[in-house]
PDB file of all heavy atoms in Angstrom:
ATOM      1  N   ALA H 501     -22.613 -20.118  10.522  1.00  0.00           N
ATOM      2  CA  ALA H 501     -21.381 -20.065  11.340  1.00  0.00           C
ATOM      3  C   ALA H 501     -21.077 -18.655  11.601  1.00  0.00           C
ATOM      4  O   ALA H 501     -20.604 -18.324  12.757  1.00  0.00           O
ATOM      5  CB  ALA H 501     -20.266 -20.620  10.491  1.00  0.00           C
ATOM      6  N   ALA H 502     -21.254 -17.705  10.780  1.00  0.00           N
ATOM      7  CA  ALA H 502     -20.985 -16.225  11.076  1.00  0.00           C
ATOM      8  C   ALA H 502     -21.750 -15.752  12.259  1.00  0.00           C
ATOM      9  O   ALA H 502     -21.290 -15.077  13.113  1.00  0.00           O
ATOM     10  CB  ALA H 502     -21.162 -15.378   9.838  1.00  0.00           C
ATOM     11  N   HIS H 503     -23.102 -16.096  12.152  1.00  0.00           N
ATOM     12  CA  HIS H 503     -23.965 -15.596  13.318  1.00  0.00           C
ATOM     13  C   HIS H 503     -23.703 -16.345  14.543  1.00  0.00           C
ATOM     14  O   HIS H 503     -23.835 -15.755  15.687  1.00  0.00           O
ATOM     15  CB  HIS H 503     -25.436 -15.763  12.892  1.00  0.00           C
ATOM     16  CG  HIS H 503     -25.842 -14.738  11.898  1.00  0.00           C
ATOM     17  ND1 HIS H 503     -26.276 -13.451  12.334  1.00  0.00           N
ATOM     18  CD2 HIS H 503     -25.950 -14.715  10.627  1.00  0.00           C
ATOM     19  CE1 HIS H 503     -26.589 -12.747  11.202  1.00  0.00           C
ATOM     20  NE2 HIS H 503     -26.476 -13.476  10.112  1.00  0.00           N
ATOM     21  N   GLU H 504     -23.277 -17.530  14.539  1.00  0.00           N
ATOM     22  CA  GLU H 504     -22.865 -18.266  15.720  1.00  0.00           C
ATOM     23  C   GLU H 504     -21.732 -17.616  16.351  1.00  0.00           C
ATOM     24  O   GLU H 504     -21.562 -17.415  17.620  1.00  0.00           O
ATOM     25  CB  GLU H 504     -22.603 -19.740  15.465  1.00  0.00           C
ATOM     26  CG  GLU H 504     -23.845 -20.614  15.218  1.00  0.00           C
ATOM     27  CD  GLU H 504     -23.440 -22.094  14.734  1.00  0.00           C
ATOM     28  OE1 GLU H 504     -22.366 -22.260  14.308  1.00  0.00           O
ATOM     29  OE2 GLU H 504     -24.434 -22.897  14.813  1.00  0.00           O
ATOM     30  N   VAL H 505     -20.636 -17.357  15.609  1.00  0.00           N
ATOM     31  CA  VAL H 505     -19.454 -16.678  16.107  1.00  0.00           C
ATOM     32  C   VAL H 505     -19.820 -15.299  16.618  1.00  0.00           C
ATOM     33  O   VAL H 505     -19.316 -14.934  17.738  1.00  0.00           O
ATOM     34  CB  VAL H 505     -18.483 -16.539  14.979  1.00  0.00           C
ATOM     35  CG1 VAL H 505     -17.332 -15.539  15.367  1.00  0.00           C
ATOM     36  CG2 VAL H 505     -17.809 -17.877  14.592  1.00  0.00           C
ATOM     37  N   ASN H 506     -20.701 -14.548  15.981  1.00  0.00           N
ATOM     38  CA  ASN H 506     -21.060 -13.227  16.415  1.00  0.00           C
ATOM     39  C   ASN H 506     -21.775 -13.207  17.728  1.00  0.00           C
ATOM     40  O   ASN H 506     -21.837 -12.200  18.405  1.00  0.00           O
ATOM     41  CB  ASN H 506     -21.766 -12.459  15.300  1.00  0.00           C
ATOM     42  CG  ASN H 506     -21.627 -11.037  15.369  1.00  0.00           C
ATOM     43  OD1 ASN H 506     -20.645 -10.423  15.801  1.00  0.00           O
ATOM     44  ND2 ASN H 506     -22.645 -10.250  14.932  1.00  0.00           N
ATOM     45  N   THR H 507     -22.413 -14.254  17.990  1.00  0.00           N
ATOM     46  CA  THR H 507     -23.243 -14.369  19.273  1.00  0.00           C
ATOM     47  C   THR H 507     -22.446 -15.086  20.396  1.00  0.00           C
ATOM     48  O   THR H 507     -23.025 -15.471  21.414  1.00  0.00           O
ATOM     49  CB  THR H 507     -24.555 -15.059  19.052  1.00  0.00           C
ATOM     50  OG1 THR H 507     -24.429 -16.285  18.410  1.00  0.00           O
ATOM     51  CG2 THR H 507     -25.494 -14.159  18.177  1.00  0.00           C
ATOM     52  N   GLY H 508     -21.189 -15.403  20.111  1.00  0.00           N
ATOM     53  CA  GLY H 508     -20.334 -15.998  21.157  1.00  0.00           C
ATOM     54  C   GLY H 508     -20.366 -17.476  21.167  1.00  0.00           C
ATOM     55  O   GLY H 508     -20.049 -18.192  22.198  1.00  0.00           O
ATOM     56  N   GLN H 509     -20.814 -18.135  20.095  1.00  0.00           N
ATOM     57  CA  GLN H 509     -20.892 -19.586  20.038  1.00  0.00           C
ATOM     58  C   GLN H 509     -19.808 -20.173  19.088  1.00  0.00           C
ATOM     59  O   GLN H 509     -19.556 -19.568  17.997  1.00  0.00           O
ATOM     60  CB  GLN H 509     -22.247 -20.121  19.526  1.00  0.00           C
ATOM     61  CG  GLN H 509     -23.488 -19.572  20.258  1.00  0.00           C
ATOM     62  CD  GLN H 509     -24.747 -19.961  19.611  1.00  0.00           C
ATOM     63  OE1 GLN H 509     -24.979 -21.161  19.374  1.00  0.00           O
ATOM     64  NE2 GLN H 509     -25.526 -18.963  19.263  1.00  0.00           N
ATOM     65  N   VAL H 510     -19.198 -21.220  19.452  1.00  0.00           N
ATOM     66  CA  VAL H 510     -18.222 -21.916  18.632  1.00  0.00           C
ATOM     67  C   VAL H 510     -19.043 -22.608  17.594  1.00  0.00           C
ATOM     68  O   VAL H 510     -19.991 -23.260  17.809  1.00  0.00           O
ATOM     69  CB  VAL H 510     -17.372 -22.939  19.386  1.00  0.00           C
ATOM     70  CG1 VAL H 510     -16.484 -23.790  18.395  1.00  0.00           C
ATOM     71  CG2 VAL H 510     -16.558 -22.292  20.421  1.00  0.00           C
ATOM     72  N   PRO H 511     -18.656 -22.343  16.230  1.00  0.00           N
ATOM     73  CA  PRO H 511     -19.384 -22.900  15.139  1.00  0.00           C
ATOM     74  C   PRO H 511     -19.509 -24.452  15.189  1.00  0.00           C
ATOM     75  O   PRO H 511     -18.594 -25.083  15.702  1.00  0.00           O
ATOM     76  CB  PRO H 511     -18.695 -22.425  13.848  1.00  0.00           C
ATOM     77  CG  PRO H 511     -17.816 -21.376  14.209  1.00  0.00           C
ATOM     78  CD  PRO H 511     -17.540 -21.576  15.717  1.00  0.00           C
ATOM     79  N   GLU H 512     -20.683 -24.982  14.718  1.00  0.00           N
ATOM     80  CA  GLU H 512     -20.832 -26.384  14.745  1.00  0.00           C
ATOM     81  C   GLU H 512     -20.007 -26.957  13.667  1.00  0.00           C
ATOM     82  O   GLU H 512     -19.935 -26.419  12.573  1.00  0.00           O
ATOM     83  CB  GLU H 512     -22.370 -26.630  14.457  1.00  0.00           C
ATOM     84  CG  GLU H 512     -22.800 -28.063  14.848  1.00  0.00           C
ATOM     85  CD  GLU H 512     -24.324 -28.197  14.543  1.00  0.00           C
ATOM     86  OE1 GLU H 512     -25.067 -27.418  15.070  1.00  0.00           O
ATOM     87  OE2 GLU H 512     -24.716 -29.111  13.780  1.00  0.00           O
ATOM     88  N   ILE H 513     -19.258 -28.131  14.071  1.00  0.00           N
ATOM     89  CA  ILE H 513     -18.472 -28.750  12.859  1.00  0.00           C
ATOM     90  C   ILE H 513     -19.324 -29.618  12.105  1.00  0.00           C
ATOM     91  O   ILE H 513     -19.935 -30.490  12.558  1.00  0.00           O
ATOM     92  CB  ILE H 513     -17.308 -29.580  13.681  1.00  0.00           C
ATOM     93  CG1 ILE H 513     -16.468 -28.708  14.549  1.00  0.00           C
ATOM     94  CG2 ILE H 513     -16.512 -30.237  12.550  1.00  0.00           C
ATOM     95  CD1 ILE H 513     -15.355 -29.462  15.112  1.00  0.00           C
ATOM     96  N   PRO H 514     -19.473 -29.308  10.851  1.00  0.00           N
ATOM     97  CA  PRO H 514     -20.269 -30.128   9.987  1.00  0.00           C
ATOM     98  C   PRO H 514     -19.743 -31.562   9.791  1.00  0.00           C
ATOM     99  O   PRO H 514     -18.538 -31.690   9.906  1.00  0.00           O
ATOM    100  CB  PRO H 514     -20.215 -29.350   8.616  1.00  0.00           C
ATOM    101  CG  PRO H 514     -19.735 -28.035   8.853  1.00  0.00           C
ATOM    102  CD  PRO H 514     -18.836 -28.232  10.088  1.00  0.00           C
ATOM    103  N   PRO H 515     -20.444 -32.568   9.515  1.00  0.00           N
ATOM    104  CA  PRO H 515     -19.914 -33.886   9.280  1.00  0.00           C
ATOM    105  C   PRO H 515     -18.976 -33.788   8.077  1.00  0.00           C
ATOM    106  O   PRO H 515     -19.201 -33.174   7.134  1.00  0.00           O
ATOM    107  CB  PRO H 515     -21.183 -34.663   9.012  1.00  0.00           C
ATOM    108  CG  PRO H 515     -22.331 -33.871   9.479  1.00  0.00           C
ATOM    109  CD  PRO H 515     -21.985 -32.400   9.369  1.00  0.00           C
ATOM    110  N   ALA H 516     -17.943 -34.636   8.223  1.00  0.00           N
ATOM    111  CA  ALA H 516     -16.882 -34.607   7.195  1.00  0.00           C
ATOM    112  C   ALA H 516     -17.373 -35.461   6.035  1.00  0.00           C
ATOM    113  O   ALA H 516     -16.971 -36.591   5.798  1.00  0.00           O
ATOM    114  CB  ALA H 516     -15.561 -35.168   7.647  1.00  0.00           C
ATOM    115  N   ASP H 517     -18.274 -34.899   5.273  1.00  0.00           N
ATOM    116  CA  ASP H 517     -18.942 -35.616   4.159  1.00  0.00           C
ATOM    117  C   ASP H 517     -18.681 -34.837   2.902  1.00  0.00           C
ATOM    118  O   ASP H 517     -19.363 -33.957   2.592  1.00  0.00           O
ATOM    119  CB  ASP H 517     -20.485 -35.877   4.514  1.00  0.00           C
ATOM    120  CG  ASP H 517     -21.167 -36.574   3.380  1.00  0.00           C
ATOM    121  OD1 ASP H 517     -20.526 -37.016   2.424  1.00  0.00           O
ATOM    122  OD2 ASP H 517     -22.421 -36.593   3.363  1.00  0.00           O
ATOM    123  N   TRP H 518     -17.728 -35.247   2.131  1.00  0.00           N
ATOM    124  CA  TRP H 518     -17.381 -34.604   0.845  1.00  0.00           C
ATOM    125  C   TRP H 518     -18.278 -35.043  -0.313  1.00  0.00           C
ATOM    126  O   TRP H 518     -18.223 -34.591  -1.346  1.00  0.00           O
ATOM    127  CB  TRP H 518     -16.004 -34.713   0.532  1.00  0.00           C
ATOM    128  CG  TRP H 518     -15.048 -33.798   1.379  1.00  0.00           C
ATOM    129  CD1 TRP H 518     -14.821 -34.057   2.682  1.00  0.00           C
ATOM    130  CD2 TRP H 518     -14.481 -32.709   0.985  1.00  0.00           C
ATOM    131  NE1 TRP H 518     -13.997 -33.086   3.140  1.00  0.00           N
ATOM    132  CE2 TRP H 518     -13.780 -32.151   2.144  1.00  0.00           C
ATOM    133  CE3 TRP H 518     -14.368 -31.856  -0.269  1.00  0.00           C
ATOM    134  CZ2 TRP H 518     -13.068 -31.013   2.111  1.00  0.00           C
ATOM    135  CZ3 TRP H 518     -13.542 -30.803  -0.284  1.00  0.00           C
ATOM    136  CH2 TRP H 518     -12.904 -30.260   0.972  1.00  0.00           C
ATOM    137  N   GLU H 519     -19.110 -36.037  -0.003  1.00  0.00           N
ATOM    138  CA  GLU H 519     -20.053 -36.516  -1.030  1.00  0.00           C
ATOM    139  C   GLU H 519     -21.233 -35.474  -1.181  1.00  0.00           C
ATOM    140  O   GLU H 519     -21.590 -35.271  -2.285  1.00  0.00           O
ATOM    141  CB  GLU H 519     -20.605 -37.943  -0.782  1.00  0.00           C
ATOM    142  CG  GLU H 519     -19.528 -39.027  -0.754  1.00  0.00           C
ATOM    143  CD  GLU H 519     -18.765 -39.049  -2.124  1.00  0.00           C
ATOM    144  OE1 GLU H 519     -19.491 -39.028  -3.154  1.00  0.00           O
ATOM    145  OE2 GLU H 519     -17.582 -39.191  -2.108  1.00  0.00           O
ATOM    146  N   ASN H 520     -21.843 -35.103  -0.087  1.00  0.00           N
ATOM    147  CA  ASN H 520     -22.875 -34.171  -0.069  1.00  0.00           C
ATOM    148  C   ASN H 520     -22.291 -32.795   0.220  1.00  0.00           C
ATOM    149  O   ASN H 520     -21.831 -32.520   1.308  1.00  0.00           O
ATOM    150  CB  ASN H 520     -23.996 -34.440   0.984  1.00  0.00           C
ATOM    151  CG  ASN H 520     -24.577 -35.843   0.744  1.00  0.00           C
ATOM    152  OD1 ASN H 520     -25.032 -36.137  -0.397  1.00  0.00           O
ATOM    153  ND2 ASN H 520     -24.544 -36.783   1.715  1.00  0.00           N
ATOM    154  N   LEU H 521     -22.306 -31.907  -0.799  1.00  0.00           N
ATOM    155  CA  LEU H 521     -21.578 -30.690  -0.699  1.00  0.00           C
ATOM    156  C   LEU H 521     -22.282 -29.791   0.249  1.00  0.00           C
ATOM    157  O   LEU H 521     -23.427 -29.577   0.306  1.00  0.00           O
ATOM    158  CB  LEU H 521     -21.475 -30.018  -2.154  1.00  0.00           C
ATOM    159  CG  LEU H 521     -20.666 -30.768  -3.232  1.00  0.00           C
ATOM    160  CD1 LEU H 521     -20.654 -30.066  -4.430  1.00  0.00           C
ATOM    161  CD2 LEU H 521     -19.344 -31.198  -2.704  1.00  0.00           C
TER     162      LEU H 521
END
Side-chain angles (χ1 to χ4, degrees):
H503 283 277
E504 286 172 344
V505 167
N506 206 29
T507 55
Q509 303 173 60
V510 175
E512 198 177 305
I513 301 180
D517 180 8
W518 285 73
E519 294 301 320
N520 299 307
L521 299 184

